Amino acid sequence: VLAGGADATLSPEVASILAGTLPRGRVQVDDEYDHFCHVTYAGGVAARIADFVDATLTTIRLAERSL
């Protein structure tokens, strides 16, 4: 879950609660992000999503090897 200090809709605190309800969920806060950070900071948001997906897939692959 991406959260920002400039987002009046989703506070970092609520984002943390939301992340806690998701499998492998985590929260990343950027003080500049607002509710439309995926538009305003598209490159940075895409990089964070790609990092999350890569890390999650690596974790899953390692777990599968342990079976």
Side-chain angles (χ1 to χ4, degrees):
V1 177
L2 295 178
D7 188 345
T9 307
L10 181 67
S11 69
E13 295 79 18
V14 173
S16 293
I17 293 168
L18 176 59
T21 68
L22 302 171
R24 294 184 181 87
R26 66 181 191 215
V27 65
Q28 293 185 348
V29 178
D30 187 308
D31 289 337
E32 294 182 358
Y33 282 4
D34 60 12
H35 199 68
F36 295 98
C37 61
H38 60 287
V39 175
T40 310
Y41 300 99
V45 169
R48 287 180 185 227
I49 292 169
D51 289 345
F52 173 78
V53 170
D54 288 343
T56 301
L57 290 176
T58 298
T59 300
I60 291 169
R61 288 182 186 123
L62 290 172
E64 288 175 344
R65 289 182 190 163
S66 300
L67 298 177

Short mmCIF file of all heavy atoms in Angstrom, two decimals:
data_model
loop_
_atom_site.label_atom_id
_atom_site.label_comp_id
_atom_site.label_asym_id
_atom_site.label_seq_id
_atom_site.Cartn_x
_atom_site.Cartn_y
_atom_site.Cartn_z
N VAL A 1 0.86 -1.17 0.00
CA VAL A 1 0.00 0.00 0.00
C VAL A 1 0.90 1.22 0.00
O VAL A 1 1.78 1.36 0.85
CB VAL A 1 -0.92 0.02 1.24
CG1 VAL A 1 -1.76 1.28 1.26
CG2 VAL A 1 -1.81 -1.21 1.29
N LEU A 2 0.70 2.09 -0.95
CA LEU A 2 1.45 3.34 -0.99
C LEU A 2 0.61 4.42 -0.32
O LEU A 2 -0.58 4.52 -0.58
CB LEU A 2 1.75 3.75 -2.44
CG LEU A 2 2.66 2.83 -3.22
CD1 LEU A 2 2.82 3.33 -4.65
CD2 LEU A 2 4.01 2.71 -2.54
N ALA A 3 1.24 5.17 0.53
CA ALA A 3 0.55 6.24 1.24
C ALA A 3 1.40 7.49 1.18
O ALA A 3 2.62 7.43 1.00
CB ALA A 3 0.30 5.85 2.70
N GLY A 4 0.75 8.60 1.36
CA GLY A 4 1.47 9.86 1.31
C GLY A 4 0.99 10.84 2.35
O GLY A 4 -0.17 10.83 2.75
N GLY A 5 1.91 11.66 2.77
CA GLY A 5 1.58 12.70 3.73
C GLY A 5 0.62 13.73 3.17
O GLY A 5 -0.06 14.42 3.91
N ALA A 6 0.55 13.83 1.83
CA ALA A 6 -0.32 14.81 1.20
C ALA A 6 -1.66 14.21 0.78
O ALA A 6 -2.43 14.85 0.08
CB ALA A 6 0.38 15.40 -0.03
N ASP A 7 -1.95 12.99 1.22
CA ASP A 7 -3.21 12.33 0.85
C ASP A 7 -4.23 12.52 1.97
O ASP A 7 -4.12 11.91 3.03
CB ASP A 7 -2.97 10.84 0.60
CG ASP A 7 -4.19 10.14 0.04
OD1 ASP A 7 -5.31 10.70 0.10
OD2 ASP A 7 -4.03 9.02 -0.47
N ALA A 8 -5.23 13.33 1.70
CA ALA A 8 -6.27 13.57 2.71
C ALA A 8 -7.25 12.41 2.80
O ALA A 8 -8.02 12.30 3.75
CB ALA A 8 -7.03 14.86 2.36
N THR A 9 -7.22 11.50 1.82
CA THR A 9 -8.16 10.39 1.77
C THR A 9 -7.67 9.16 2.51
O THR A 9 -8.43 8.46 3.15
CB THR A 9 -8.46 10.02 0.30
OG1 THR A 9 -8.86 11.20 -0.39
CG2 THR A 9 -9.55 8.99 0.20
N LEU A 10 -6.37 8.88 2.41
CA LEU A 10 -5.79 7.68 3.02
C LEU A 10 -4.55 8.08 3.81
O LEU A 10 -3.49 8.31 3.24
CB LEU A 10 -5.42 6.64 1.95
CG LEU A 10 -4.83 5.34 2.47
CD1 LEU A 10 -5.86 4.54 3.25
CD2 LEU A 10 -4.29 4.52 1.31
N SER A 11 -4.69 8.17 5.11
CA SER A 11 -3.57 8.55 5.96
C SER A 11 -2.57 7.39 6.05
O SER A 11 -2.94 6.23 5.86
CB SER A 11 -4.05 8.91 7.36
OG SER A 11 -4.51 7.74 8.03
N PRO A 12 -1.33 7.67 6.38
CA PRO A 12 -0.35 6.59 6.57
C PRO A 12 -0.79 5.59 7.64
O PRO A 12 -0.53 4.40 7.51
CB PRO A 12 0.92 7.33 6.98
CG PRO A 12 0.80 8.66 6.30
CD PRO A 12 -0.67 8.98 6.40
N GLU A 13 -1.48 6.06 8.66
CA GLU A 13 -1.95 5.16 9.72
C GLU A 13 -2.98 4.17 9.19
O GLU A 13 -2.92 2.97 9.47
CB GLU A 13 -2.53 5.97 10.89
CG GLU A 13 -1.53 6.83 11.62
CD GLU A 13 -1.19 8.14 10.92
OE1 GLU A 13 -1.95 8.57 10.04
OE2 GLU A 13 -0.13 8.71 11.23
N VAL A 14 -3.93 4.67 8.43
CA VAL A 14 -4.96 3.80 7.86
C VAL A 14 -4.33 2.89 6.80
O VAL A 14 -4.70 1.72 6.69
CB VAL A 14 -6.13 4.63 7.27
CG1 VAL A 14 -7.12 3.74 6.53
CG2 VAL A 14 -6.83 5.39 8.38
N ALA A 15 -3.38 3.39 6.05
CA ALA A 15 -2.67 2.57 5.06
C ALA A 15 -1.96 1.40 5.75
O ALA A 15 -1.95 0.28 5.22
CB ALA A 15 -1.68 3.42 4.28
N SER A 16 -1.40 1.64 6.91
CA SER A 16 -0.74 0.56 7.67
C SER A 16 -1.74 -0.50 8.10
O SER A 16 -1.45 -1.70 8.03
CB SER A 16 -0.03 1.12 8.90
OG SER A 16 1.05 1.93 8.51
N ILE A 17 -2.90 -0.07 8.53
CA ILE A 17 -3.95 -1.02 8.92
C ILE A 17 -4.38 -1.83 7.69
O ILE A 17 -4.50 -3.06 7.76
CB ILE A 17 -5.15 -0.28 9.55
CG1 ILE A 17 -4.74 0.34 10.89
CG2 ILE A 17 -6.34 -1.22 9.71
CD1 ILE A 17 -5.75 1.32 11.44
N LEU A 18 -4.58 -1.16 6.57
CA LEU A 18 -4.96 -1.85 5.34
C LEU A 18 -3.90 -2.87 4.93
O LEU A 18 -4.21 -4.02 4.62
CB LEU A 18 -5.19 -0.84 4.22
CG LEU A 18 -5.51 -1.40 2.84
CD1 LEU A 18 -6.77 -2.26 2.88
CD2 LEU A 18 -5.64 -0.27 1.84
N ALA A 19 -2.65 -2.47 4.95
CA ALA A 19 -1.56 -3.39 4.58
C ALA A 19 -1.54 -4.62 5.47
O ALA A 19 -1.26 -5.72 5.01
CB ALA A 19 -0.22 -2.66 4.64
N GLY A 20 -1.88 -4.44 6.73
CA GLY A 20 -1.91 -5.56 7.67
C GLY A 20 -3.00 -6.58 7.38
O GLY A 20 -2.93 -7.71 7.86
N THR A 21 -3.97 -6.21 6.59
CA THR A 21 -5.05 -7.14 6.25
C THR A 21 -4.78 -7.90 4.96
O THR A 21 -5.56 -8.79 4.60
CB THR A 21 -6.40 -6.41 6.10
OG1 THR A 21 -6.36 -5.56 4.95
CG2 THR A 21 -6.73 -5.60 7.34
N LEU A 22 -3.71 -7.55 4.26
CA LEU A 22 -3.40 -8.16 2.97
C LEU A 22 -2.29 -9.19 3.08
O LEU A 22 -1.31 -8.96 3.80
CB LEU A 22 -2.98 -7.07 1.98
CG LEU A 22 -3.99 -5.95 1.73
CD1 LEU A 22 -3.36 -4.83 0.92
CD2 LEU A 22 -5.21 -6.50 1.02
N PRO A 23 -2.41 -10.30 2.36
CA PRO A 23 -1.30 -11.26 2.35
C PRO A 23 -0.04 -10.59 1.81
O PRO A 23 -0.09 -9.94 0.76
CB PRO A 23 -1.79 -12.36 1.40
CG PRO A 23 -3.25 -12.16 1.25
CD PRO A 23 -3.51 -10.70 1.51
N ARG A 24 1.04 -10.71 2.54
CA ARG A 24 2.33 -10.10 2.17
C ARG A 24 2.22 -8.58 2.03
O ARG A 24 3.03 -7.95 1.35
CB ARG A 24 2.88 -10.71 0.88
CG ARG A 24 3.26 -12.16 1.01
CD ARG A 24 3.88 -12.69 -0.27
NE ARG A 24 4.22 -14.08 -0.13
CZ ARG A 24 3.39 -15.10 -0.37
NH1 ARG A 24 2.16 -14.87 -0.77
NH2 ARG A 24 3.79 -16.35 -0.21
N GLY A 25 1.21 -8.00 2.67
CA GLY A 25 1.01 -6.56 2.56
C GLY A 25 2.07 -5.78 3.32
O GLY A 25 2.60 -6.23 4.33
N ARG A 26 2.40 -4.66 2.79
CA ARG A 26 3.31 -3.74 3.47
C ARG A 26 2.94 -2.33 3.03
O ARG A 26 2.25 -2.13 2.03
CB ARG A 26 4.77 -4.05 3.17
CG ARG A 26 5.19 -3.85 1.74
CD ARG A 26 6.65 -4.20 1.54
NE ARG A 26 7.10 -3.75 0.25
CZ ARG A 26 7.98 -4.38 -0.49
NH1 ARG A 26 8.51 -5.50 -0.05
NH2 ARG A 26 8.35 -3.90 -1.65
N VAL A 27 3.39 -1.37 3.80
CA VAL A 27 3.07 0.02 3.48
C VAL A 27 4.37 0.78 3.22
O VAL A 27 5.39 0.52 3.86
CB VAL A 27 2.25 0.69 4.62
CG1 VAL A 27 3.04 0.82 5.89
CG2 VAL A 27 1.73 2.04 4.18
N GLN A 28 4.32 1.66 2.25
CA GLN A 28 5.42 2.57 1.97
C GLN A 28 4.83 3.97 1.96
O GLN A 28 3.85 4.22 1.27
CB GLN A 28 6.09 2.25 0.64
CG GLN A 28 6.82 0.93 0.63
CD GLN A 28 7.57 0.70 -0.66
OE1 GLN A 28 7.40 1.40 -1.65
NE2 GLN A 28 8.42 -0.31 -0.66
N VAL A 29 5.46 4.85 2.72
CA VAL A 29 4.97 6.22 2.84
C VAL A 29 5.97 7.17 2.21
O VAL A 29 7.17 7.07 2.44
CB VAL A 29 4.75 6.59 4.33
CG1 VAL A 29 4.28 8.04 4.46
CG2 VAL A 29 3.76 5.64 4.98
N ASP A 30 5.46 8.07 1.42
CA ASP A 30 6.26 9.15 0.84
C ASP A 30 5.52 10.44 1.16
O ASP A 30 4.35 10.60 0.81
CB ASP A 30 6.41 8.96 -0.67
CG ASP A 30 7.37 9.96 -1.28
OD1 ASP A 30 7.20 11.18 -1.05
OD2 ASP A 30 8.28 9.53 -2.01
N ASP A 31 6.19 11.34 1.81
CA ASP A 31 5.54 12.59 2.24
C ASP A 31 4.95 13.39 1.09
O ASP A 31 3.99 14.14 1.28
CB ASP A 31 6.51 13.46 3.04
CG ASP A 31 6.82 12.88 4.40
OD1 ASP A 31 6.00 12.09 4.92
OD2 ASP A 31 7.88 13.20 4.96
N GLU A 32 5.50 13.25 -0.11
CA GLU A 32 5.01 14.02 -1.26
C GLU A 32 3.80 13.38 -1.93
O GLU A 32 3.10 14.04 -2.68
CB GLU A 32 6.13 14.20 -2.28
CG GLU A 32 7.26 15.06 -1.78
CD GLU A 32 8.34 15.25 -2.83
OE1 GLU A 32 8.23 14.68 -3.93
OE2 GLU A 32 9.29 15.98 -2.54
N TYR A 33 3.57 12.10 -1.70
CA TYR A 33 2.48 11.42 -2.39
C TYR A 33 1.12 11.93 -1.93
O TYR A 33 0.89 12.17 -0.76
CB TYR A 33 2.53 9.91 -2.14
CG TYR A 33 3.57 9.17 -2.96
CD1 TYR A 33 4.45 9.83 -3.80
CD2 TYR A 33 3.66 7.80 -2.89
CE1 TYR A 33 5.39 9.14 -4.54
CE2 TYR A 33 4.59 7.10 -3.64
CZ TYR A 33 5.46 7.78 -4.46
OH TYR A 33 6.37 7.08 -5.19
N ASP A 34 0.23 12.08 -2.91
CA ASP A 34 -1.16 12.39 -2.61
C ASP A 34 -2.02 11.24 -3.14
O ASP A 34 -1.48 10.19 -3.50
CB ASP A 34 -1.58 13.74 -3.21
CG ASP A 34 -1.45 13.78 -4.73
OD1 ASP A 34 -1.27 12.72 -5.37
OD2 ASP A 34 -1.55 14.89 -5.29
N HIS A 35 -3.30 11.42 -3.21
CA HIS A 35 -4.20 10.33 -3.61
C HIS A 35 -4.00 9.92 -5.07
O HIS A 35 -4.35 8.81 -5.46
CB HIS A 35 -5.66 10.72 -3.36
CG HIS A 35 -6.58 9.56 -3.31
ND1 HIS A 35 -6.55 8.62 -2.30
CD2 HIS A 35 -7.57 9.15 -4.17
CE1 HIS A 35 -7.46 7.70 -2.53
NE2 HIS A 35 -8.09 8.00 -3.65
N PHE A 36 -3.43 10.79 -5.86
CA PHE A 36 -3.22 10.50 -7.28
C PHE A 36 -1.72 10.38 -7.60
O PHE A 36 -1.29 10.71 -8.70
CB PHE A 36 -3.89 11.56 -8.15
CG PHE A 36 -5.38 11.55 -8.00
CD1 PHE A 36 -6.01 12.45 -7.16
CD2 PHE A 36 -6.15 10.61 -8.66
CE1 PHE A 36 -7.38 12.41 -6.99
CE2 PHE A 36 -7.52 10.56 -8.50
CZ PHE A 36 -8.15 11.47 -7.66
N CYS A 37 -0.97 9.84 -6.65
CA CYS A 37 0.47 9.70 -6.83
C CYS A 37 0.81 8.81 -8.02
O CYS A 37 1.84 8.98 -8.66
CB CYS A 37 1.14 9.18 -5.57
SG CYS A 37 0.58 7.55 -5.03
N HIS A 38 -0.08 7.89 -8.36
CA HIS A 38 0.16 7.01 -9.52
C HIS A 38 0.14 7.80 -10.83
O HIS A 38 0.68 7.33 -11.83
CB HIS A 38 -0.88 5.89 -9.55
CG HIS A 38 -2.29 6.37 -9.65
ND1 HIS A 38 -2.94 6.98 -8.58
CD2 HIS A 38 -3.16 6.37 -10.68
CE1 HIS A 38 -4.16 7.32 -8.96
NE2 HIS A 38 -4.32 6.95 -10.23
N VAL A 39 -0.43 8.98 -10.80
CA VAL A 39 -0.43 9.85 -11.98
C VAL A 39 0.72 10.85 -11.88
O VAL A 39 1.51 11.00 -12.81
CB VAL A 39 -1.79 10.59 -12.12
CG1 VAL A 39 -1.75 11.58 -13.26
CG2 VAL A 39 -2.93 9.60 -12.29
N THR A 40 0.79 11.53 -10.75
CA THR A 40 1.78 12.58 -10.55
C THR A 40 3.21 12.06 -10.50
O THR A 40 4.13 12.70 -11.01
CB THR A 40 1.46 13.36 -9.25
OG1 THR A 40 0.09 13.73 -9.26
CG2 THR A 40 2.32 14.60 -9.12
N TYR A 41 3.39 10.91 -9.89
CA TYR A 41 4.72 10.31 -9.72
C TYR A 41 4.75 8.92 -10.35
O TYR A 41 5.20 7.94 -9.75
CB TYR A 41 5.07 10.21 -8.23
CG TYR A 41 5.10 11.54 -7.53
CD1 TYR A 41 4.02 11.97 -6.77
CD2 TYR A 41 6.20 12.38 -7.64
CE1 TYR A 41 4.04 13.20 -6.12
CE2 TYR A 41 6.23 13.61 -7.00
CZ TYR A 41 5.14 14.02 -6.25
OH TYR A 41 5.17 15.24 -5.61
N ALA A 42 4.25 8.83 -11.57
CA ALA A 42 4.05 7.53 -12.23
C ALA A 42 5.32 6.68 -12.25
O ALA A 42 5.27 5.48 -11.95
CB ALA A 42 3.52 7.74 -13.65
N GLY A 43 6.44 7.25 -12.59
CA GLY A 43 7.68 6.49 -12.66
C GLY A 43 8.10 5.92 -11.32
O GLY A 43 8.47 4.74 -11.21
N GLY A 44 8.03 6.73 -10.29
CA GLY A 44 8.39 6.28 -8.95
C GLY A 44 7.44 5.23 -8.41
O GLY A 44 7.86 4.25 -7.79
N VAL A 45 6.16 5.43 -8.66
CA VAL A 45 5.16 4.46 -8.20
C VAL A 45 5.35 3.14 -8.95
O VAL A 45 5.33 2.06 -8.34
CB VAL A 45 3.73 5.00 -8.39
CG1 VAL A 45 2.68 3.92 -8.19
CG2 VAL A 45 3.48 6.15 -7.42
N ALA A 46 5.58 3.20 -10.24
CA ALA A 46 5.79 1.98 -11.03
C ALA A 46 7.02 1.22 -10.52
O ALA A 46 7.00 -0.01 -10.42
CB ALA A 46 5.94 2.32 -12.50
N ALA A 47 8.08 1.94 -10.19
CA ALA A 47 9.29 1.29 -9.68
C ALA A 47 9.02 0.61 -8.34
O ALA A 47 9.49 -0.51 -8.10
CB ALA A 47 10.41 2.32 -9.54
N ARG A 48 8.26 1.26 -7.47
CA ARG A 48 7.93 0.65 -6.17
C ARG A 48 7.07 -0.60 -6.35
O ARG A 48 7.26 -1.60 -5.66
CB ARG A 48 7.21 1.66 -5.27
CG ARG A 48 8.14 2.72 -4.74
CD ARG A 48 7.39 3.69 -3.85
NE ARG A 48 8.25 4.77 -3.43
CZ ARG A 48 8.32 5.21 -2.17
NH1 ARG A 48 7.60 4.65 -1.23
NH2 ARG A 48 9.12 6.20 -1.87
N ILE A 49 6.14 -0.54 -7.28
CA ILE A 49 5.30 -1.71 -7.54
C ILE A 49 6.14 -2.84 -8.11
O ILE A 49 6.01 -4.00 -7.69
CB ILE A 49 4.13 -1.35 -8.47
CG1 ILE A 49 3.16 -0.41 -7.75
CG2 ILE A 49 3.41 -2.60 -8.97
CD1 ILE A 49 2.10 0.22 -8.64
N ALA A 50 7.02 -2.54 -9.05
CA ALA A 50 7.89 -3.56 -9.64
C ALA A 50 8.78 -4.19 -8.57
O ALA A 50 8.95 -5.42 -8.55
CB ALA A 50 8.73 -2.95 -10.75
N ASP A 51 9.33 -3.39 -7.66
CA ASP A 51 10.15 -3.92 -6.57
C ASP A 51 9.34 -4.86 -5.68
O ASP A 51 9.82 -5.92 -5.28
CB ASP A 51 10.74 -2.79 -5.72
CG ASP A 51 11.82 -2.02 -6.45
OD1 ASP A 51 12.32 -2.50 -7.49
OD2 ASP A 51 12.16 -0.92 -5.96
N PHE A 52 8.11 -4.47 -5.38
CA PHE A 52 7.25 -5.31 -4.55
C PHE A 52 6.95 -6.64 -5.23
O PHE A 52 7.04 -7.70 -4.63
CB PHE A 52 5.95 -4.57 -4.21
CG PHE A 52 4.95 -5.43 -3.50
CD1 PHE A 52 5.09 -5.69 -2.15
CD2 PHE A 52 3.88 -5.99 -4.17
CE1 PHE A 52 4.18 -6.50 -1.48
CE2 PHE A 52 2.96 -6.80 -3.52
CZ PHE A 52 3.12 -7.05 -2.16
N VAL A 53 6.60 -6.57 -6.51
CA VAL A 53 6.28 -7.80 -7.24
C VAL A 53 7.51 -8.70 -7.32
O VAL A 53 7.41 -9.91 -7.09
CB VAL A 53 5.73 -7.47 -8.65
CG1 VAL A 53 5.63 -8.71 -9.52
CG2 VAL A 53 4.38 -6.78 -8.54
N ASP A 54 8.67 -8.13 -7.63
CA ASP A 54 9.89 -8.93 -7.69
C ASP A 54 10.19 -9.61 -6.36
O ASP A 54 10.52 -10.79 -6.31
CB ASP A 54 11.08 -8.06 -8.11
CG ASP A 54 11.04 -7.66 -9.57
OD1 ASP A 54 10.30 -8.29 -10.36
OD2 ASP A 54 11.76 -6.70 -9.93
N ALA A 55 10.09 -8.86 -5.28
CA ALA A 55 10.37 -9.41 -3.95
C ALA A 55 9.37 -10.50 -3.59
O ALA A 55 9.74 -11.54 -3.03
CB ALA A 55 10.36 -8.31 -2.90
N THR A 56 8.10 -10.27 -3.91
CA THR A 56 7.07 -11.25 -3.61
C THR A 56 7.28 -12.54 -4.41
O THR A 56 7.20 -13.64 -3.86
CB THR A 56 5.67 -10.68 -3.89
OG1 THR A 56 5.49 -9.51 -3.08
CG2 THR A 56 4.58 -11.68 -3.58
N LEU A 57 7.59 -12.40 -5.69
CA LEU A 57 7.83 -13.59 -6.51
C LEU A 57 9.06 -14.35 -6.04
O LEU A 57 9.06 -15.59 -6.03
CB LEU A 57 7.96 -13.19 -7.98
CG LEU A 57 6.68 -12.72 -8.65
CD1 LEU A 57 6.96 -12.26 -10.08
CD2 LEU A 57 5.62 -13.79 -8.63
N THR A 58 10.09 -13.64 -5.64
CA THR A 58 11.28 -14.30 -5.10
C THR A 58 10.94 -15.08 -3.85
O THR A 58 11.37 -16.24 -3.68
CB THR A 58 12.39 -13.26 -4.81
OG1 THR A 58 12.75 -12.62 -6.04
CG2 THR A 58 13.61 -13.91 -4.19
N THR A 59 10.17 -14.50 -2.96
CA THR A 59 9.75 -15.18 -1.73
C THR A 59 8.95 -16.43 -2.05
O THR A 59 9.16 -17.50 -1.45
CB THR A 59 8.93 -14.22 -0.85
OG1 THR A 59 9.73 -13.09 -0.51
CG2 THR A 59 8.46 -14.90 0.43
N ILE A 60 8.03 -16.33 -2.99
CA ILE A 60 7.21 -17.48 -3.36
C ILE A 60 8.07 -18.58 -3.97
O ILE A 60 7.92 -19.76 -3.64
CB ILE A 60 6.08 -17.04 -4.33
CG1 ILE A 60 5.06 -16.18 -3.58
CG2 ILE A 60 5.40 -18.25 -4.96
CD1 ILE A 60 4.07 -15.48 -4.48
N ARG A 61 8.97 -18.21 -4.86
CA ARG A 61 9.84 -19.21 -5.50
C ARG A 61 10.72 -19.92 -4.46
O ARG A 61 10.90 -21.14 -4.53
CB ARG A 61 10.68 -18.56 -6.57
CG ARG A 61 9.88 -18.17 -7.79
CD ARG A 61 10.76 -17.56 -8.87
NE ARG A 61 9.95 -17.07 -9.96
CZ ARG A 61 9.95 -15.82 -10.39
NH1 ARG A 61 10.76 -14.92 -9.87
NH2 ARG A 61 9.17 -15.46 -11.38
N LEU A 62 11.25 -19.18 -3.53
CA LEU A 62 12.08 -19.80 -2.49
C LEU A 62 11.25 -20.74 -1.62
O LEU A 62 11.71 -21.81 -1.25
CB LEU A 62 12.75 -18.72 -1.63
CG LEU A 62 13.83 -17.91 -2.31
CD1 LEU A 62 14.27 -16.75 -1.40
CD2 LEU A 62 15.01 -18.78 -2.69
N ALA A 63 10.03 -20.36 -1.33
CA ALA A 63 9.16 -21.21 -0.53
C ALA A 63 8.81 -22.49 -1.29
O ALA A 63 8.76 -23.56 -0.70
CB ALA A 63 7.89 -20.46 -0.14
N GLU A 64 8.59 -22.37 -2.58
CA GLU A 64 8.26 -23.55 -3.39
C GLU A 64 9.43 -24.53 -3.45
O GLU A 64 9.24 -25.73 -3.47
CB GLU A 64 7.85 -23.12 -4.79
CG GLU A 64 6.49 -22.46 -4.85
CD GLU A 64 6.15 -21.92 -6.23
OE1 GLU A 64 7.05 -21.76 -7.08
OE2 GLU A 64 4.96 -21.61 -6.44
N ARG A 65 10.64 -24.03 -3.46
CA ARG A 65 11.83 -24.89 -3.49
C ARG A 65 11.98 -25.68 -2.20
O ARG A 65 12.57 -26.74 -2.18
CB ARG A 65 13.09 -24.07 -3.72
CG ARG A 65 13.19 -23.52 -5.11
CD ARG A 65 14.48 -22.77 -5.29
NE ARG A 65 14.46 -22.05 -6.55
CZ ARG A 65 15.28 -21.07 -6.84
NH1 ARG A 65 16.19 -20.67 -5.98
NH2 ARG A 65 15.21 -20.47 -8.01
N SER A 66 11.44 -25.14 -1.12
CA SER A 66 11.54 -25.79 0.19
C SER A 66 10.55 -26.94 0.35
O SER A 66 10.65 -27.71 1.29
CB SER A 66 11.31 -24.78 1.30
OG SER A 66 12.28 -23.75 1.25
N LEU A 67 9.60 -27.03 -0.55
CA LEU A 67 8.57 -28.08 -0.44
C LEU A 67 9.10 -29.45 -0.80
O LEU A 67 9.89 -29.74 -1.53
CB LEU A 67 7.37 -27.73 -1.32
CG LEU A 67 6.64 -26.44 -0.93
CD1 LEU A 67 5.51 -26.19 -1.94
CD2 LEU A 67 6.07 -26.55 0.48
#
